[in-house]
Amino acid sequence: MKLLPALFILAFALMPAAAKAKTNIDACLSKSKEYFNEKEYSLAEKTLNGCLKTNPKNADALISLAGVEMILGKFNNAEKNFIKALSYLNAKSPYKAYIYSRLGDIYMRKANLKEAEKYYKTALKYEPANINALVGAGICEEKTGDINKAVEYYKKALAVDFTNIVSRERLIALEPDILTKEELLRTMKERNIIDPAAQEFSREDMQTLSKMITAEKSNGIEYLSQKYGGKIPNGLIVERDSNKVYVRKMLTITGYNDLLRKLSSDAKQFLINKGVSVADLFTLRDENRKPIFNDMGNLTDEGLTAFTKMLRGEKSYYRPGEKLPATQKEIEMQVRNLISQNYMEITNTEYAALMTRTQCSENTLRNQLKVRYVDIGGGNKRYFVFAHPDALEPIRYPYLYVQQYRQERRIANSEAPVYGNSFGLGNGLPAKLCKKDGTLNWDGMPD
């Protein structure tokens, strides 16, 4: 028995090089899987990068690494590794559908629907029953306005997996647009929107159905259940059992009205607790100048949206005379004006880095260094720096700091640096543009 370790070492030493490499990579992949299962994603990433040093062309390691990178939000790296893996797979590899489907997810996150749809459809050529690709393609079609094609993809996904929740929820949300007249009559009767003997429904009935479906999508039934201590009274919802697999709970008109009353009551109490007087409740408006409560004291459609935002801590109601945020059209006009004046938009993260690196206060950045922002409501802003090639110092420095920050991020993410064609980089930026009190540390500041 004591000879076994020695014999194992000897056997390993006598293995062909290819077999040793396979043993090493298998052990490495196994270790990364352990970290992944323990949700230690950074350690899994580090381990997989080590695996690839042993065998840079190992498709399993590349695919696994790309999947981990997606979880960590490193989508550019994930895309590169998925594409590398494709070059090492044979034509009939079952992994191809998975990779193309995940590439579709990456481009969906980038809001590039055209590329996302292309990848999802490529995945379906390799595996027509790929659930992720079917649902992804359906979402792309829906977002680009082809509801019929979207429905086709969602139904195919349900044919593969009847319990797929995303497809089912999307089909429910689209019901007012896709159901036949007979199907609409049936669901309206189930919900008691119309009389059981009715053969027609009105435009108002359709609007009511849409509102009820929206309420269900926004967890309205769960809200009612909570209000009633976990058991909703009879008559407020109806259950439809689909093949004993999926039970769909739907609001009746009575349930919807009860939900609206309870939400309205909660909204009023919420606002009173925030210091709004009872007399002012019915004068409140949302950011689009729409009333939050109607004459009956219930939340309007806009009020429901505003109340949801209130619960998330967003500013979504305004008293009479209170300054309202700019409309979307006004925001877009402000942005266009700034860009036409040689301003460049930067992210909130870049703006925070700019403040940290320059040590300047917001007042100094805005009033002396021409940094601008557009208020988009809810306490959020879009920031811009002056990027004209002939800008004088120190006005040109905010742009340079941002470019330097971007280059550092690109290098950290192993991306090729993209240099600005106006100022360049590495021109000896001051360590701190401002003093500790946030004011400009610049004797030559022009008047």
Side-chain angles (χ1 to χ4, degrees):
M1 295 296 291
K2 292 180 180 179
L3 294 174
L4 281 176
L7 289 172
F8 177 80
I9 293 170
L10 177 63
F12 185 80
L14 294 173
M15 275 185 184
K20 289 181 186 178
K22 186 178 185 311
T23 301
N24 288 337
I25 197 75
D26 287 347
C28 191
L29 288 170
S30 178
K31 188 64 179 177
S32 72
K33 187 176 180 180
E34 287 179 24
Y35 285 132
F36 184 87
N37 291 337
E38 293 167 3
K39 297 186 178 180
E40 296 282 357
Y41 301 123
S42 293
L43 288 175
E45 179 191 30
K46 183 178 179 180
T47 303
L48 287 163
N49 276 313
C51 298
L52 288 166
K53 287 180 181 177
T54 303
N55 185 350
K57 297 182 179 182
N58 186 280
D60 288 340
L62 285 165
I63 294 168
S64 298
L65 177 58
V68 171
E69 287 169 336
M70 286 192 71
I71 293 173
L72 294 172
K74 299 179 179 181
F75 298 109
N76 289 340
N77 288 354
E79 180 183 358
K80 290 173 184 175
N81 285 318
F82 275 135
I83 290 171
K84 275 185 189 176
L86 283 171
S87 66
Y88 302 131
L89 294 173
N90 64 54
K92 295 183 179 181
S93 171
Y95 289 125
K96 285 197 169 184
Y98 169 77
I99 292 175
Y100 283 118
S101 175
R102 297 301 276 162
L103 286 169
D105 293 344
I106 290 172
Y107 276 88
M108 180 76 81
R109 285 181 171 274
K110 293 180 179 181
N112 188 335
L113 296 177
K114 185 176 180 181
E115 283 297 301
E117 185 175 5
K118 181 187 79 174
Y119 280 121
Y120 288 133
K121 289 183 176 179
T122 302
L124 292 171
K125 289 179 181 178
Y126 286 95
E127 184 188 347
N130 186 290
I131 288 284
N132 190 67
L134 286 168
V135 176
I139 291 172
C140 288
E141 295 288 5
E142 184 181 345
K143 286 180 178 291
T144 53
D146 197 329
I147 301 302
N148 291 331
K149 282 188 178 178
V151 169
E152 185 180 332
Y153 280 117
Y154 295 144
K155 287 183 175 179
K156 284 181 179 178
L158 287 177
V160 176
D161 177 9
F162 191 79
T163 63
N164 183 263
I165 194 66
V166 178
S167 293
R168 190 164 296 286
E169 287 181 348
R170 292 316 309 147
L171 285 171
I172 289 170
L174 292 171
E175 274 188 357
D177 299 314
I178 64 174
L179 294 183
T180 64
K181 180 182 176 181
E182 289 73 22
E183 289 169 331
L184 286 168
L185 276 168
R186 185 185 75 158
T187 193
M188 287 184 187
K189 289 175 182 179
E190 282 180 315
R191 296 169 178 275
N192 297 326
I193 298 173
I194 59 176
D195 188 89
Q199 297 301 312
E200 299 289 342
F201 53 83
S202 67
R203 184 175 181 179
E204 289 72 23
D205 294 330
M206 280 293 299
Q207 291 172 342
T208 300
L209 176 61
S210 294
K211 291 176 183 179
M212 292 166 75
I213 290 173
T214 300
E216 290 164 1
K217 191 171 63 174
S218 302
N219 298 318
I221 292 175
E222 289 80 359
Y223 173 88
L224 270 184
S225 179
Q226 182 183 10
K227 287 293 179 181
Y228 283 107
K231 185 170 176 60
I232 301 175
N234 291 333
L236 300 190
I237 63 169
V238 63
E239 296 185 354
R240 183 191 293 169
D241 193 345
S242 301
N243 296 339
K244 307 292 183 183
V245 176
Y246 176 84
V247 177
R248 177 180 170 189
K249 295 181 178 180
M250 304 184 297
L251 288 167
T252 63
I253 189 65
T254 305
Y256 174 72
N257 289 334
D258 191 43
L259 170 66
L260 190 58
R261 282 192 295 270
K262 285 180 166 50
L263 281 169
S264 300
S265 176
D266 283 357
K268 290 171 190 172
Q269 191 57 55
F270 178 92
L271 289 162
I272 289 169
N273 291 343
K274 290 290 184 180
V276 178
S277 69
V278 175
D280 281 344
L281 284 174
F282 297 100
T283 66
L284 297 178
R285 296 290 184 271
D286 70 356
E287 60 263 32
N288 296 312
R289 300 163 177 80
K290 301 292 185 181
I292 287 178
F293 294 97
N294 61 24
D295 294 339
M296 302 295 292
N298 286 329
L299 287 163
T300 61
D301 292 343
E302 295 81 9
L304 282 167
T305 301
F307 184 39
T308 301
K309 291 180 179 179
M310 293 177 211
L311 296 175
R312 293 200 299 258
E314 298 178 26
K315 174 66 173 173
S316 59
Y317 63 90
Y318 298 86
R319 296 177 173 88
E322 189 175 359
K323 183 181 177 182
L324 291 164
T327 64
Q328 188 60 39
K329 185 176 180 180
E330 290 168 340
I331 290 170
E332 289 172 1
M333 185 175 294
Q334 290 180 52
V335 169
R336 283 198 300 271
N337 286 340
L338 284 170
I339 291 173
S340 71
Q341 296 169 33
N342 294 299
Y343 278 88
M344 178 185 77
E345 186 167 5
I346 63 175
T347 66
N348 286 19
T349 302
E350 289 167 345
Y351 179 73
L354 178 63
M355 288 190 68
T356 300
R357 294 183 176 205
T358 62
Q359 202 171 267
C360 297
S361 67
E362 289 196 83
N363 186 59
T364 298
L365 288 172
R366 184 171 61 254
N367 294 331
Q368 294 184 279
L369 297 172
K370 286 196 172 186
V371 176
R372 298 287 181 259
Y373 70 82
V374 173
D375 191 336
I376 59 175
N380 300 310
K381 297 180 176 70
R382 291 172 64 177
Y383 294 96
F384 300 80
V385 293
F386 194 60
H388 193 282
D390 297 328
L392 298 173
E393 297 177 347
I395 291 172
R396 72 172 182 161
Y397 277 126
Y399 171 85
L400 289 172
Y401 276 99
V402 170
Q403 290 292 73
Q404 184 183 64
Y405 175 75
R406 287 181 178 179
Q407 182 178 354
E408 290 170 6
R409 290 291 299 272
R410 291 186 190 104
I411 292 170
N413 291 328
S414 301
E415 295 179 13
V418 178
Y419 293 92
N421 58 8
S422 298
F423 299 113
L425 296 165
N427 291 335
L429 293 174
K432 295 293 180 185
L433 191 57
C434 289
K435 303 172 187 175
K436 288 185 178 180
D437 62 1
T439 59
L440 199 62
N441 186 17
W442 187 267
D443 294 334
M445 179 66 194
D447 295 330

